[in-house]
Amino acid sequence: MSKLSLDRILQSQGFGTRKYCRALIEDGDVAVNGEIHTNYKTAIETDGLVLTVFDEEWIYREHVYIALNKPANYECSRKPSHHPGVLTLLPEQFTWREVQPVGRLDHDTTGMLLMSDDGPFIHAQSSPKRHVPKVYQATTAEPVTQALIDQLLSGVQLHDEPAPLAAVRCIQHGEHQLEIVLEQGKYHQVKRMLAAAGNHCAALHRSAIGGLELDALGLAEGEWCYLTPAQLTLLA
Ligand code: URA
């Protein structure tokens, strides 16, 4: 059980500055569990709280955990320079509550991107000590060969890494289709490993993180969903 004033609650959910949230409440634009409240000082129980703001329902969430099916030509950086940022695919509230990508995908990589505003969660998921497998579907410029697979599995040396990096699994799905599973998350890792092994990555898609598969989420490109506690346990 935890109670907060209504203006703080609205601010925590990303509806804007405290001043703006107070104005929304005083203007009668905010309902609490279906009932309009115009006093921003009212202390409200946050457990099970449903807000309605401008006729749209928002379940109160202390933190948000999101999976996005990232399309190509979106950047994960905070200050995107050449393409729109991934945050533009989410409701504006998420920018206000400082939702950020958990790790990064290149602008031309598609597929599963986790996002959250829970700092310890982001930190834990991005930690190099964590060995959660990330599953990539690579389209290669040159045909996949057994020699390529053997090299990726035994480890390839990248110029700025102290030791060779190896894939934990490589499965050929077609002449130019290779599933590569990595436990690290180094910069451009799949593309650099393929290049170091004598091929070239023509397209890249992340299909799963840990036991959480993008297909199971049923998201079209550009769509996102909240992750349930059960889905979050699949990331462990
Ligand atoms: N490896 C890459 O090369 N790029 C990505 O976006 C993710 C993994």
Side-chain angles (χ1 to χ4, degrees):
M1 301 281 274
S2 112
K3 284 191 169 188
L4 287 175
S5 63
L6 188 50
D7 57 345
R8 273 180 190 274
I9 290 176
L10 275 196
Q11 192 183 14
S12 75
Q13 301 302 288
F15 285 96
T17 61
R18 184 80 60 85
K19 192 172 167 199
Y20 177 73
C21 291
R22 287 180 178 177
L24 283 183
I25 297 162
E26 288 181 332
D27 289 350
D29 292 321
V30 180
V32 173
N33 300 326
E35 220 176 277
I36 301 275
H37 277 246
T38 52
N39 182 354
Y40 64 75
K41 293 183 186 154
T42 310
I44 306 286
E45 173 56 54
T46 55
D47 271 6
L49 167 64
V50 182
L51 297 164
T52 311
V53 183
F54 292 129
D55 295 326
E56 198 180 336
E57 282 200 352
W58 291 89
I59 293 173
Y60 173 87
R61 289 180 165 88
E62 187 180 355
H63 289 297
V64 290
Y65 306 91
I66 290 162
L68 169 72
N69 183 355
K70 180 191 171 298
N73 298 324
Y74 282 85
E75 290 183 24
C76 289
S77 69
R78 267 174 174 267
K79 292 195 179 141
S81 46
H82 298 295
H83 302 278
V86 285
L87 275 161
T88 60
L89 295 164
L90 307 178
E92 203 191 344
Q93 281 82 349
F94 293 161
T95 302
W96 278 93
R97 57 189 295 175
E98 299 188 12
V99 166
Q100 343 174 355
V102 179
R104 291 193 177 180
L105 290 178
D106 298 333
H107 82 272
D108 52 355
T109 301
T110 58
M112 191 191 290
L113 181 67
L114 302 179
M115 301 182 78
S116 180
D117 59 353
D118 179 348
F121 170 81
I122 296 172
H123 186 74
Q125 287 292 323
S126 328
S127 162
K129 291 192 192 127
R130 209 177 164 86
H131 297 288
V132 177
K134 300 192 179 70
V135 185
Y136 295 94
Q137 308 298 331
T139 305
T140 59
E142 307 301 329
V144 173
T145 60
Q146 189 56 45
L148 172 71
I149 294 176
D150 291 345
Q151 272 196 76
L152 294 172
L153 288 174
S154 59
V156 292
Q157 184 63 53
L158 303 181
H159 78 274
D160 54 353
E161 290 297 327
L165 295 174
V168 289
R169 202 170 74 224
C170 271
I171 303 170
Q172 183 168 4
H173 289 306
E175 198 185 1
H176 290 263
Q177 302 298 326
L178 187 60
E179 177 173 310
I180 304 176
V181 183
L182 299 178
E183 282 187 344
Q184 314 89 350
K186 308 278 180 187
Y187 179 67
H188 290 333
Q189 188 173 342
V190 175
K191 292 175 185 169
R192 290 195 301 150
M193 284 177 69
L194 282 171
N199 206 310
H200 177 77
C201 184
L204 190 59
H205 176 80
R206 184 155 69 190
S207 56
I209 299 177
L212 186 65
E213 294 189 3
L214 185 61
D215 280 356
L217 299 175
L219 299 172
E221 274 205 355
E223 282 185 352
W224 63 275
C225 65
Y226 293 108
L227 293 175
T228 63
Q231 288 167 333
L232 287 172
T233 63
L234 298 174
L235 300 171

